[in-house]
Amino acid sequence: MGGIVDFEVVLPSSTVEVEELHAASGVPVADILAITHTASFPALDEDEPAWELAATAGRTVLERTGVDPDAIGLVVYAGSGEWDLPFWSPAAKVADELGIGNAHCYEVTNFCNGAMTAIRTALAELALNGGQYALVLIGDRLSRLVDHEDAESKHLFNFGDAPAAVLLGREGTLLDVLASAARTDPSWADYYSGDVEDDRVLMRRRGRRPGLGDAYLENFPARVHDVLDTLDRRIDDVDWFLVNQGDKGMHEKLLAKLGIPAGKSVFNYHRYGHMGGSDPFLALRDLIGEDRLTPGDLVLVASSGMGFSWGVTALEYRGR
């Protein structure tokens, strides 16, 4: 099937500061820290386009691997669908910036599950058409979609930004993609939606329907077992379990329900906010950089997105 040849994450030049969130919203600092777990985290500057950082990540990956831009047959830009410009293709823009002229360019919208969905889609297309490489770009602008003046939006105050690029190929992989499973519970479709205010799109939670936490604890384990059953593996075979860094408490509950020790996961809450689809790649970057992965390690990546969708993808580390 192929997998991840290389990837890069680029952090923006600005940050969100908890003290600033407190001043804007009136929410006590302690209450905000209970959500963010850090006093500041990376976020796009007001005039910093996400696509430019995604292009920087893509350029770094192509230069590091020596892959010719003409060998890229697919460029997919993943995220929430709220790009730097409306009615516009950031995938095509980045392709043009990188000199990729022979690719099909398009976008995948599945919110924070978008990156892993795009990887699944791109690998399937490579297998279908016999292509050699695909480039998946992660370029959300989550911090710009949160109303920091609204105390009712405090549960979103940890949303930051970290554009990334993931080079996929059929050979020479760093991480093989072994299996993947995903499901959407459409009954949550209207739990969040956006409002346009002062030329900005802002996320709003619609009401206080209970049960989303239970849905996470039902759907993630079910997808984990779907993937492990496909591979004829067991929970004890999982070497690393990575999850979106949206809610530390949920992360801990999920590990407990699955029976996976916390030492087999990565907790970056003290360093970053919730970086959308880039969360697992920040974790992988640390694991690889610190030589904590061994060839043959089974890594499960659990990602979720509004809508609500839950996905689990199994990777096998092959080493550089």
Side-chain angles (χ1 to χ4, degrees), residues 1-13:
M1 183 178 185
I4 297 169
V5 176
D6 199 3
F7 67 91
E8 182 69 28
V9 183
V10 176
L11 298 178
S13 62

Side-chain angles (χ1 to χ4, degrees), residues 73-94:
L74 188 68
V75 178
V76 185
Y77 201 98
S80 67
E82 287 299 326
W83 316 126
D84 296 296
L85 294 171
F87 202 71
W88 175 74
S89 173
K93 180 64 176 178
V94 173

Side-chain angles (χ1 to χ4, degrees), residues 224-225 228 233-239 241 258-261 264 298 300:
V224 166
H225 291 296
L228 292 178
R233 305 279 191 97
R234 302 178 303 166
I235 280 289
D236 291 344
D237 296 321
V238 176
D239 295 291
F241 182 80
L258 288 167
I260 297 176
K264 287 188 172 184
L298 177 63
L300 296 189

